[in-house]
Amino acid sequence: MAEKRRVLLTGGTGYIGSHSAVSFVEAGYDVALLDNFSNSSPRVLDRLEQILGQRLKVYEVDVCDEPRLREALASFSPQAVVHFAGLKAVGESVKEPQRYYENNVAGTLSLLRAMAAEKVQDLVFSSSATVYGDPASVPITEAFPRSATNPYGRSKLMVEDMLMDLCVSDPGWNIALLRYFNPVGAHNSGLIGEDPTGIPNNLMPFVTQVAVGRRAKLSVFGGDYPTHDGTGVRDYIHVTDLAEGHVSALASLDRTPDGAPLVVNLGTGKGYSVLETLRAFEKASGCSVPFEIAPRRPGDVAECYADPSRARDLIGWEAKLGLDRMCEDAWRWQANNPDGYTS
Ligand code: NAD
Ligand code: UFG
């Protein structure tokens, strides 16, 4: 029997990493996780064991710690790395830019050096629709101009540029840049899900925390956008679909045009407003979610949704699960774990 392909997931105990671990194992990969647990709980490992029926190997390592990263790579000897590890809170990045550049940019450089030293050159990177800044129109294709309005976004732009240059310099690298739209939802077991520390920045975890009684009401940021109901429109994508996008991307790394990185949007192509999302959640959960219209949040754009056709054409992937299912699964996770992994 052929040996299983090994893949190392940095940031693998986080929200998207843990769901991707499930998808990679189900696709037949041998998976190990690497994380410093700065924004995740070791309890994820027990939950993954319940889902998968096997305990995944985990390396407690900071990606900025190159010697320990090398040790982990040498010990597991993966054929590929999926690099989720990073800090992701936009507001925090404005207050602590240096920490964001250290963690997201210097951390990626450290990973690249360790990979080169261990002769691992297949890499899938978590980029973001944030690289499109304030898009001139929607849907957004991969050819749209890129810009950044905050240090988090700039860290993603910098890493994208670094990885593009690396591919030009050495055709041995095979790299995918996956630009995620708005990941929401949870594994349908209700055992793993999104567990933000403190007050959630993102809409869906805020809504589920109101529904479960942890917060009094939702503030809808802006009721006067030029959208059909005045609230912001986003492309919400089920985290399980997103996870499967990584499996498809890794299997298609050799299809990179002229050795350049494979750049694809991972979104559904459908935009929903905040109020539509709220109504879908109320229907799926049977809970009513009190809200008030509040001022716009600085830096937010009116509308952001993907043209997902390149992902379909290049990596054979498309999102399958709709907004109702995203809301049902987000609610199952929150209702079963009212305080997240500390429940
Ligand atoms: P998350 O915070 O749940 O997961 C990130 C994981 O990386 C955490 O487990 C954290 O402990 C770990 N980590 C952070 N810094 C590390 C370091 N220096 N060394 C080792 N581990 C480290 O976030 P997520 O939502 O799963 O996001 C994963 C990736 O996807 C991030 O790079 C993020 O920027 C990107 N992304 C997320 C979204 C989103 O809305 N969730 C959207 C676009 C892109
Ligand atoms: N919103 C509210 N109230 C809240 C939270 C959000 O009304 O309490 C609104 C926002 O104004 C926006 C929509 O809900 O219209 C979605 O907001 P999120 O914070 O959930 O998501 P964003 O689109 O602002 O940002 C997300 C990630 C970023 C990433 C970006 C890429 O958090 O890291 O998607 O599109 F860069």
Side-chain angles (χ1 to χ4, degrees):
M1 206 175 83
E3 209 192 329
K4 281 187 183 181
R5 270 174 67 80
R6 286 179 302 281
V7 61
L8 179 74
L9 312 186
T10 77
T13 62
Y15 173 47
I16 303 170
S18 56
H19 289 82
S20 299
V22 173
S23 295
F24 276 109
V25 171
E26 285 173 350
Y29 285 83
D30 193 357
V31 173
L33 313 178
L34 182 145
D35 208 295
N36 66 356
F37 296 101
S38 59
N39 197 38
S40 60
S41 163
R43 291 190 184 145
V44 172
L45 301 166
D46 302 330
R47 301 295 183 86
L48 285 172
E49 188 173 356
Q50 278 180 264
I51 294 170
L52 295 169
Q54 61 168 277
R55 187 85 181 171
L56 295 183
K57 190 179 293 225
V58 60
Y59 297 93
E60 186 171 351
V61 171
D62 192 304
V63 288
C64 297
D65 185 345
E66 192 185 329
R68 297 216 38 231
L69 205 47
R70 269 196 76 170
E71 277 170 30
L73 286 167
S75 144
F76 186 59
S77 69
Q79 281 87 27
V81 172
V82 185
H83 182 33
F84 298 101
L87 301 174
K88 60 167 184 176
V90 171
E92 189 181 67
S93 81
V94 176
K95 294 195 189 92
E96 301 176 71
Q98 195 176 335
R99 189 156 82 88
Y100 272 68
Y101 292 122
E102 280 287 346
N103 208 78
N104 295 3
V105 183
T108 304
L109 280 169
S110 155
L111 175 67
L112 294 172
R113 283 192 299 266
M115 287 176 67
E118 297 303 323
K119 305 198 168 25
V120 186
Q121 289 193 293
D122 284 5
L123 175 69
V124 176
F125 173 64
S126 298
S127 189
S128 166
T130 194
V131 301
Y132 297 117
D134 191 354
S137 60
V138 279
I140 301 168
T141 73
E142 291 81 354
F144 272 37
R146 297 174 313 145
S147 66
T149 52
N150 56 68
Y152 167 70
R154 230 169 333 269
S155 76
K156 292 293 177 193
L157 275 185
M158 286 178 183
V159 172
E160 282 204 352
D161 286 341
M162 273 163 33
L163 297 178
M164 288 177 193
D165 289 343
L166 199 62
C167 284
V168 172
S169 76
D170 176 356
W173 286 95
N174 298 304
I175 298 181
L177 310 180
L178 303 183
R179 296 179 178 158
Y180 311 157
F181 282 68
N182 289 58
V184 297
H187 188 262
N188 65 6
S189 62
L191 287 166
I192 57 173
E194 189 170 13
D195 184 17
T197 29
I199 302 171
N201 293 308
N202 298 119
L203 178 66
M204 189 61 86
F206 203 107
V207 167
T208 61
Q209 289 194 10
V210 173
V212 86
R214 280 173 65 180
R215 313 210 172 262
K217 66 176 168 208
L218 172 76
S219 295
V220 174
F221 298 140
D224 58 353
Y225 282 108
T227 59
H228 61 275
D229 64 13
T231 66
V233 168
R234 294 291 182 279
D235 185 338
Y236 298 98
I237 171 168
H238 198 294
V239 66
T240 298
D241 275 332
L242 187 74
E244 279 165 14
H246 294 74
V247 178
S248 302
L250 189 57
S252 312
L253 273 189
D254 54 346
R255 281 179 231 162
T256 57
D258 332 318
L262 188 72
V263 182
V264 290
N265 288 338
L266 295 184
T268 65
K270 292 191 192 75
Y272 290 100
S273 73
V274 175
L275 293 180
E276 284 169 334
T277 308
L278 196 58
R279 299 290 172 233
F281 179 81
E282 289 185 322
K283 185 164 156 263
S285 66
C287 301
S288 90
V289 177
F291 71 92
E292 65 181 3
I293 303 289
R296 292 183 180 191
R297 183 170 62 177
D300 274 358
V301 303
E303 279 195 293
C304 176
Y305 58 89
D307 176 339
S309 53
R310 194 161 200 262
R312 192 190 53 224
D313 297 345
L314 271 185
I315 66 171
W317 170 91
E318 61 189 329
K320 298 188 192 88
L321 306 172
L323 185 62
D324 292 347
R325 181 63 192 277
M326 300 179 211
C327 293
E328 275 165 36
D329 289 341
W331 177 236
R332 185 178 306 107
W333 154 251
Q334 187 74 78
N336 290 352
N337 306 273
D339 294 310
Y341 287 108
T342 56
S343 296

